Amino acid sequence: MRGGGACPTSDPRSHLPHWVTDVPAAVRRYTEAGFPAHANEPFDGFRNGAWRLDERYVEILTVLDETAYGTGVFSRALKVLRPAIEDVSARGRGAMTFAVNVTDAAASAQRLRLQGHRVEEVVAAPEGRDVSFREVFLPDAPFWAPFLITYDPPREQIFTEYVQGRFDPGHHDLRAIVIQTADPEFSARWLATLLGVPSQGTEVPLPGGHVCFEEGPEDRIVAVVTTGPEAEIEGLEFRST
């Protein structure tokens, strides 16, 4: 998703983590549904794949070995996200949270602290890769709340140099994330304030895909809206525009 305004950002896009029970099986279901996806090799007890659109992607992921993952490069993020992971694991699968790429995660963290949020910053530099990133998590926020991320080099450069042309995005686009809460308008205003952007009723319009809230008891991400067919994949509903 892209953010803007007071975040501060330039033209960021990032991703939606989708927790699944089996990455290759989920990747096959994505592809069969019309959303071409790929699986990566396991790394530090972790495995992921993705449906990549451009700088945006849906990350398809699971942890294979808690011990190995707990001591790996992503271990601090795992610790912060543990409550959200346990929540989604209780259902077996589903979307946990989403990421908003910002130009300066450290500045964003400071802004959020001044607003009274509890903030956890995580810096990771995977060994053998020319990419590092800083993530900003809000342990006091709802599980569906986004985390902020800044890449070095910038995400746009990573996409151009390492990703563009390597993966088939397919013919469909991602238009929105749908979050179910008890008070959609309140939730939209809360998220808009967090990101420093305006809300419109029950929506927070972001250039890379809107965040839409609907009334219900789940208090979690329940669906994505795409230009493709309708489907249900590993606890995540795909709705068509």
Side-chain angles (χ1 to χ4, degrees), residues 80-91:
V80 177
L81 286 173
R82 173 58 63 190
I85 292 172
E86 290 177 352
D87 178 68
V88 76
S89 296
R91 298 188 302 274

Side-chain angles (χ1 to χ4, degrees), residues 19-171:
W19 184 275
V20 300
T21 53
D22 183 304
V23 169
V27 162
R28 286 193 296 272
R29 293 192 62 188
Y30 266 79
T31 302
E32 290 167 357
F35 312 109
H38 68 276
N40 298 317
E41 292 301 315
F43 174 76
D44 278 355
F46 167 80
R47 189 168 195 183
N48 69 355
W51 171 39
R52 288 188 173 271
L53 294 156
D54 36 43
E55 294 142 74
R56 302 165 300 159
Y57 60 98
V58 178
E59 182 181 16
I60 305 161
L61 73 157
T62 197
V63 170
L64 304 174
D65 184 329
E66 290 278 359
T67 301
Y69 190 81
T71 57
V73 68
F74 302 116
S75 60
R76 284 196 61 203
L78 173 69
K79 182 178 179 180
V80 177
L81 286 173
R82 173 58 63 190
I85 292 172
E86 290 177 352
D87 178 68
V88 76
S89 296
R91 298 188 302 274
R93 55 201 178 169
M96 296 188 300
T97 178
F98 64 101
V100 173
N101 189 19
V102 299
T103 55
D104 191 338
S108 295
Q110 180 62 17
R111 175 179 64 84
L112 293 171
R113 287 190 183 97
L114 292 174
Q115 291 179 358
H117 287 283
R118 180 184 162 205
V119 174
E120 293 276 356
E121 292 184 70
V122 176
V123 179
E127 187 175 352
R129 303 185 188 183
D130 296 326
V131 174
S132 64
F133 48 87
R134 178 184 295 269
E135 297 169 319
V136 176
F137 298 94
L138 301 175
D140 61 345
F143 294 150
W144 51 259
F147 62 94
L148 310 182
I149 185 168
T150 296
Y151 294 87
D152 183 17
R155 185 72 188 153
E156 297 86 348
Q157 182 179 338
I158 294 172
F159 174 72
T160 301
E161 294 184 0
Y162 300 105
V163 179
Q164 192 170 26
R166 290 187 58 203
F167 304 101
D168 175 18
H171 303 293

Side-chain angles (χ1 to χ4, degrees), residues 154-231:
R155 185 72 188 153
E156 297 86 348
Q157 182 179 338
I158 294 172
F159 174 72
T160 301
E161 294 184 0
Y162 300 105
V163 179
Q164 192 170 26
R166 290 187 58 203
F167 304 101
D168 175 18
H171 303 293
H172 307 303
D173 197 7
L174 177 67
R175 293 291 177 83
I177 291 173
V178 181
I179 301 172
Q180 192 176 101
T181 67
D183 190 336
E185 286 200 23
F186 174 84
S187 297
R189 290 194 301 270
W190 181 89
L191 178 61
T193 300
L194 182 79
L195 297 178
V197 299
S199 61
Q200 296 178 359
T202 59
E203 293 190 13
V204 179
L206 299 177
H210 292 196
V211 180
C212 305
F213 291 87
E214 66 178 26
E215 187 174 355
E218 295 288 349
D219 200 34
R220 66 181 180 91
I221 298 170
V222 295
V224 292
V225 179
T226 79
T227 59
E230 296 190 348

